[in-house]
């Protein structure tokens, strides 16, 4: 699209006259014309992108959409449709990006499922690959009535609902990637959209985030990861990254261990401003940032050398991952409270192998201890926090 826009913009240079006239002018005029056309092209591209809707590309998805095609086509401007098409696209793009890093025979198993109460999902899992021990990329598009336990969970977050049981719609994409090599970090991301009808009023909001869980700390990787997410946030609001980075550090805390799950990223919930379209645009940018934030790290480390010691440490850290997901993760608990929950898909985030060792402590001054220091004290990876003022 941008190429075609650029061609159209260059044609507007006719006001300068013929090529000979341009050629005979000083070079600064020629450069100004090129830069001006480039600026026009960029502005038009940005405007067109902002106006674009998610389009239906059935052949590019991992499976048929959950909502019947005729309904999607009929309601293309509805946010429920737009979100379903977004998560279908993100799932397919991420799965194919992961498969490119694997051996040729390692492919995702695609499991499309439905639920009686309404909707369903598509679970894609790759297991026992050379690069990925277990990779799960799941979408769900579900509707029905929320039971009291799920309503109570939302009320605990400050949602003011009068009804005890609420009609709802939820669509989201969620992925957890557990690599085989301990030098490749685990990534988790989740982006979701909710609608709840309370009496005659419809409440909607977006939530989500992307976070990184390394087994061995590589500061260059952490900076790359956070910088990619910051660029996605800054496109929409310069305050987003700082706010959602802190939220991520606070949320992904294994409270009973006094440590974070990883080196953070971004996390947010209940986003319903400035308006629905712009909130959706923000979520889209964050979801599209997953591949450039993570795949370069896979390419960089998937063939790194490691031994028995590093593998055992990886398994211990995976045990911490399990503890967080089963004890604290709000999405897991919401899924388990949802009627006709599909437990295989909800628990796909758990690793294929993990380990718990009684009272394990890393050796002083080891690479393992270096990681633990960061997990106990989150770091400002991009050096953008304002220094605290000190009294004179």
């Amino acid at each position: 699209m941008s190429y075609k826009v650029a061609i159209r913009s260059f044609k507007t240079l006719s006001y300068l006259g013929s090529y000979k006239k341009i050629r005979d002018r000083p070079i600064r005029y020629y450069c100004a014309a090129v830069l001006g056309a480039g600026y026009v092209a960029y502005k038009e591209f940005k405007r067109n992108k902002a106006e674009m809707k998610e389009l239906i590309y059935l052949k590019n998805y991992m499976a048929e959409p959950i909502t019947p095609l005729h309904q999607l086509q009929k309601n293309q401007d509805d946010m429920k449709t737009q979100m379903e098409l977004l998560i279908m696209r993100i799932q397919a793009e991420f799965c194919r990006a992961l498969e490119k890093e694997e051996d040729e025979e390692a492919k995702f198993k695609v499991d499309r499922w439905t639920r009686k109460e309404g909707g369903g999902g598509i679970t894609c899992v790759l297991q026992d690959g050379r690069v990925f021990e277990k990779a799960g990329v799941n979408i769900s598009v579900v509707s029905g009535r929320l039971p009291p336990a799920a309503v109570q969970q939302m009320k605990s977050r400050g949602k003011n609902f009068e009804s005890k049981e609420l009609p709802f719609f939820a669509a989201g994409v969620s992925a957890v990637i557990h690599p085989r090599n301990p030098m490749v970090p685990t990534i988790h991301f989740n982006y979701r959209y909710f609608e709840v009808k309370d009496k005659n009023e419809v409440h909607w909001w977006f939530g989500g985030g992307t976070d990184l869980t390394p087994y061995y700390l590589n500061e260059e990787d952490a900076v790359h990861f956070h910088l990619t997410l910051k660029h996605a946030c800054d496109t929409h609001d310069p305050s987003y990254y700082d706010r959602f980075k802190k939220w991520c550090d606070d949320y992904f805390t294994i409270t009973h261990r006094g440590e974070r799950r990883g080196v953070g990223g971004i996390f947010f919930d209940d986003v319903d401003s400035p308006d629905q379209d712009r909130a959706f645009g923000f979520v889209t940018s964050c979801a599209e940032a997953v591949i450039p934030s993570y795949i370069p790290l896979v390419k960089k480390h998937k063939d790194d050398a490691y031994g028995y010691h590093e593998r055992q440490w990886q398994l211990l850290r995976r045990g911490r991952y399990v503890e967080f997901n089963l004890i604290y993760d709000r999405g897991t608990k919401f899924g388990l409270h949802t009627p006709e929950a599909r437990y295989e898909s909800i628990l796909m985030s758990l690793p294929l192998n993990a380990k718990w060792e009684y009272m394990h402590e890393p050796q002083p001054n080891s690479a393992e201890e270096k990681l633990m220091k960061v997990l106990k004290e989150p770091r400002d990876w991009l050096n953008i926090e304002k220094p605290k003022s000190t009294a004179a």
Side-chain angles (χ1 to χ4, degrees):
M1 176 185 291
S2 57
Y3 174 76
K4 293 180 179 179
V5 173
I7 293 299
R8 289 200 302 270
S9 300
F10 275 110
K11 289 179 179 179
T12 65
L13 293 176
S14 58
Y15 72 92
L16 291 175
S18 66
Y19 167 76
K20 183 177 183 301
K21 290 182 181 179
I22 296 177
R23 183 193 62 194
D24 293 340
R25 288 173 183 249
I27 188 67
R28 64 179 181 273
Y29 288 109
Y30 179 73
C31 292
V34 172
L35 290 174
Y39 178 74
V40 171
Y42 173 76
K43 292 294 286 184
E44 187 170 345
F45 170 69
K46 292 288 286 184
R47 180 178 60 80
N48 287 342
K49 185 176 181 182
E51 294 174 354
M52 280 195 301
K53 298 286 188 182
E54 288 289 335
L55 302 177
I56 302 175
Y57 291 116
L58 293 179
K59 64 179 182 179
N60 293 337
Y61 302 146
M62 301 301 287
E64 290 284 324
I66 302 304
T67 303
L69 183 59
H70 67 90
Q71 290 186 28
L72 294 176
Q73 292 173 329
K74 182 180 178 182
N75 302 304
Q76 291 189 44
D77 292 331
D78 191 290
M79 186 52 65
K80 294 189 289 294
T81 296
Q82 290 299 304
M83 191 64 187
E84 181 170 354
L85 296 179
L86 170 66
I87 62 178
M88 293 285 294
R89 174 171 65 85
I90 294 299
Q91 179 188 49
E93 290 174 353
F94 193 49
C95 285
R96 291 182 179 120
L98 294 172
E99 286 181 342
K100 286 182 180 178
E101 303 307 317
E102 267 290 1
D103 292 341
E104 189 174 345
E105 65 273 11
K107 299 294 181 184
F108 276 91
K109 176 182 178 181
V110 179
D111 180 17
R112 186 183 185 278
W113 48 273
T114 58
R115 57 195 291 273
K116 292 180 182 178
E117 192 174 19
I122 301 167
T123 299
C124 298
V125 176
L126 188 157
Q127 288 185 158
D128 281 325
R130 182 183 68 84
V131 178
F132 303 110
E133 192 169 340
K134 184 181 180 185
V137 188
N138 184 48
I139 70 153
S140 59
V141 180
V142 297
S143 58
R145 288 185 173 273
L146 289 179
V151 174
Q152 188 58 42
Q153 185 187 351
M154 290 184 175
K155 285 184 176 180
S156 69
R157 301 194 339 249
K159 294 291 182 185
N160 258 336
F161 297 131
E162 297 181 26
S163 305
K164 291 183 179 179
E165 290 194 5
L166 303 169
F168 81 99
F169 169 89
V173 56
S174 180
V176 179
I177 312 304
H178 294 291
R180 188 173 296 280
N181 191 318
M183 303 305 162
V184 181
T186 279
I187 191 176
H188 156 261
F189 74 88
N190 171 274
Y191 292 100
R192 55 195 179 274
Y193 172 72
F194 273 86
E195 278 190 6
V196 175
K197 188 173 183 180
D198 185 23
K199 295 190 179 295
N200 294 320
E201 187 175 0
V202 175
H203 303 264
W204 61 265
W205 64 91
F206 293 90
T210 307
D211 65 285
L212 195 71
T213 303
Y215 306 100
Y216 286 91
L217 183 63
N218 184 301
E219 296 188 3
E220 186 180 85
D221 293 351
V223 170
H224 164 82
F225 182 78
H226 278 268
L227 190 59
T228 307
L229 298 183
K230 185 178 187 301
H231 286 329
C233 291
D234 287 353
T235 303
H236 300 271
D237 189 322
S239 73
Y240 278 175
Y241 172 77
D242 284 349
R243 288 166 49 197
F244 299 152
K245 190 265 186 190
K246 184 181 185 307
W247 199 339
C248 184
D249 289 335
D250 293 342
Y251 177 76
F252 291 105
T253 298
I254 309 172
T255 307
H256 63 277
R257 299 281 187 182
E259 62 191 50
R260 271 67 180 180
R261 189 173 77 177
V263 296
I266 57 172
F267 178 82
F268 55 88
D269 212 343
D270 304 327
V271 170
D272 56 6
S273 63
D275 56 54
Q276 196 175 59
D277 286 339
R278 282 184 282 183
F280 175 69
F282 167 59
V283 168
T284 300
S285 294
C286 292
E288 290 175 343
V290 170
I291 289 176
S293 73
Y294 183 61
I295 294 300
L297 309 186
V298 177
K299 293 178 181 290
K300 180 179 176 182
H301 296 295
K302 67 180 183 179
D303 295 318
D304 286 0
Y306 69 94
Y308 177 82
H309 174 79
E310 290 78 15
R311 171 63 171 172
Q312 296 309 301
W313 174 249
Q314 180 192 47
L315 295 177
L316 283 169
R317 293 310 308 167
R318 283 183 179 171
R320 299 290 201 269
Y321 206 95
V322 171
E323 289 177 23
F324 177 85
N325 279 27
L326 294 184
I327 298 173
Y328 300 109
D329 187 67
R330 205 156 63 204
T332 301
K333 289 195 275 189
F334 177 85
L336 295 175
H337 286 151
T338 303
E340 299 177 31
R342 193 170 189 275
Y343 304 114
E344 286 290 334
S345 297
I346 296 169
L347 299 177
M348 72 161 193
S349 62
L350 302 184
L352 203 57
N353 297 286
K355 179 180 177 179
W356 287 264
E357 186 176 308
Y358 185 71
M359 298 292 287
H360 180 274
E361 291 289 338
Q363 292 293 318
N365 302 316
S366 63
E368 291 80 15
E369 187 186 54
K370 181 182 178 183
L371 174 70
M372 290 305 301
K373 288 181 179 178
V374 172
L375 299 185
K376 291 181 181 295
E377 292 292 335
R379 189 181 299 180
D380 171 19
W381 295 103
L382 304 182
N383 296 317
I384 58 177
E385 291 180 3
K386 296 178 180 178
K388 296 179 180 179
S389 59
T390 56

